[in-house]
Amino acid sequence: MHIATTHRNTDFDGLASIVAATLLYPGTVAVCPRNVNPNVHRFLSLHKTAFDIILSDEVNLDAVTRLIVVDTNQRHRLDLGDSLWGRRENIEVLLWDHHMSLGDIHPDWQCVEKVGAAITLLVREIKELHLQLTPLQATLYLIGLYEDTGHLTFSSTTPEDARAAVFLLEQGADLTIAVDFLNMVYGEMQKKVLFRLMRDAEQQDIKGKRVGIGVVHIDKYVELATVVQLYGKIVNADAVFVIFVNEGGGYFIIGRSSTPEININNVLQRFGGGGHPGAGSATIADAKMSTAEVRQKIIAILHEIQRGAALVADVMSFPVTTVPPETTMRQVSHIMEKEKIRGLVVEEDECLRGIVVLWDLKKLRLNKQWNSPVKAFMNRQVTTIPPDALASEAAELMVQKNIGHLPVVQGQKVIGIVTRTDIINYLYGMMPS
């Protein structure tokens, strides 16, 4: 018996991938965990007769000779008993995954690549084999792709994800149906959770990033991922983490991030969970830590991760071209032209006094002004930044202040400068290696 299965709390990417595996490997049976997220449950309630899917407890584990695992590389996330792994030497294991963290499945063959959704990898194979899809299959695959890439907007999205979406639309995927199932159900319980978050959740400033962290007690499981995402949007946080306390014991954490500097997957892996840079979850069954300790651990991990992010010192330009306050505007113009730069720092006794930029030169109307000292025209209210600040902070500061030059100051001394060109190189991955 050949089976394809995925992780507990199955999302659309996991469901789409096990269905796609049955197409790529004829004779394979799709095995769905009993615990699926509410929107997947809603989809299966309507489409359960359209796909050949069985539940995990319906599998004759002794008959399994091939196991295809999709969208996870962690054994504990599968809904199959230890008896299956006890027969590992008699089972061929194949793995299709887009999570790059180390796992413990150790397959005989694998396709693991850094794309936005696991279904993207299977769609690539479907295209290469020239297999035809029904509109229903194409729609399910598109829902899985859109869910895991945030409609192709998450930072983990790749060009291949976009190409897969185009192919699925060409195969008849229905966007109206996709949008319907991706719009989460939002009921009274979700409203209560959101109210508690708005009332009680605390916010932290971590290296210039606004992070919301909340703790909510719940007495039954409902779909909460949308509530967490909505909370993050309402408070305009860069990232949010919510610790949900089950009445029966244990916690689970849901995280969402809108900035590449805070990788949810990296944070929640420390709790035995994972996900993607923009979204993820973790379950803590044995709650030895208090909620306060879980919260402090999240904060500590964020500080640790942020220390590994690109700093201003990594992206700044140096050495800095400086001039003393008595330098004439004509000399300033010549230096800018010779150095091919658009701004100059004005220093005296190794202390920052001001800055002059190309736009200041364009303000000169009279010939005599060109012989005036730069101190008469320089901007004395200079916005600066320290070298150990995050590069993303520099980018945000330049946008807020609408400035093109940001001197990097250590003590009173200018040790570098961040320009718009430096920021563009940083944002688009063009920093020198």
Side-chain angles (χ1 to χ4, degrees), residues 45-65:
S45 296
L46 182 63
H47 298 86
K48 58 186 174 183
T49 60
F51 301 104
D52 184 16
I53 297 176
I54 65 173
L55 297 177
S56 54
D57 55 8
E58 298 177 83
V59 179
N60 179 1
L61 298 179
D62 291 333
V64 175
T65 57

Side-chain angles (χ1 to χ4, degrees), residues 45-248:
S45 296
L46 182 63
H47 298 86
K48 58 186 174 183
T49 60
F51 301 104
D52 184 16
I53 297 176
I54 65 173
L55 297 177
S56 54
D57 55 8
E58 298 177 83
V59 179
N60 179 1
L61 298 179
D62 291 333
V64 175
T65 57
R66 173 186 280 177
L67 172 65
I68 303 166
V69 179
V70 301
D71 199 31
T72 183
N73 58 14
Q74 302 288 338
R75 276 175 47 180
H76 73 273
R77 299 193 69 196
L78 300 179
D79 208 11
L80 298 171
D82 290 336
S83 60
L84 182 67
W85 294 104
R87 299 176 53 254
R88 175 65 178 87
E89 66 276 6
N90 300 318
I91 300 173
E92 179 188 20
V93 178
L94 313 181
L95 176 65
W96 292 83
D97 193 21
H98 67 128
H99 300 98
M100 304 308 293
S101 55
L102 292 176
D104 58 358
I105 288 180
H106 309 304
D108 299 293
W109 177 92
Q110 68 178 21
C111 178
V112 178
E113 295 181 27
K114 192 174 182 179
V115 293
I119 189 61
T120 296
L121 301 173
L122 288 101
V123 166
R124 176 212 290 163
E125 187 72 7
I126 288 170
K127 288 170 61 179
E128 290 180 356
L129 294 175
H130 303 290
L131 301 177
Q132 293 299 307
L133 301 179
T134 67
L136 177 55
Q137 290 170 324
T139 300
L140 172 58
Y141 301 168
L142 185 67
I143 294 172
L145 175 58
Y146 272 12
E147 181 185 59
D148 255 29
T149 63
H151 296 76
L152 304 178
T153 64
F154 288 169
S155 60
S156 55
T157 304
T158 68
E160 185 161 6
D161 295 304
R163 288 192 289 269
V166 170
F167 170 76
L168 294 173
L169 289 170
E170 291 172 344
Q171 293 288 306
D174 191 315
L175 280 171
T176 302
I177 295 174
V179 169
D180 177 53
F181 282 103
L182 287 171
N183 286 333
M184 298 287 187
V185 179
Y186 188 69
E188 286 302 315
M189 184 61 182
Q190 284 92 344
K191 292 178 184 177
K192 290 179 182 178
V193 171
L194 180 61
F195 172 76
R196 293 172 195 163
L197 284 173
M198 296 299 297
R199 182 190 63 191
D200 302 329
E202 298 179 6
Q203 294 185 40
Q204 297 272 329
D205 187 290
I206 300 178
K207 281 290 185 177
K209 296 301 176 185
R210 193 176 184 184
V211 180
I213 303 178
V215 178
V216 178
H217 291 257
I218 58 173
D219 54 10
K220 63 179 181 179
Y221 179 79
V222 292
E223 172 54 47
L224 295 168
T226 304
V227 181
V228 175
Q229 189 155 336
L230 184 58
Y231 164 67
K233 289 181 179 179
I234 291 173
V235 300
N236 195 29
D238 295 295
V240 290
F241 295 86
V242 181
I243 305 160
F244 293 98
V245 183
N246 293 314
E247 191 178 61

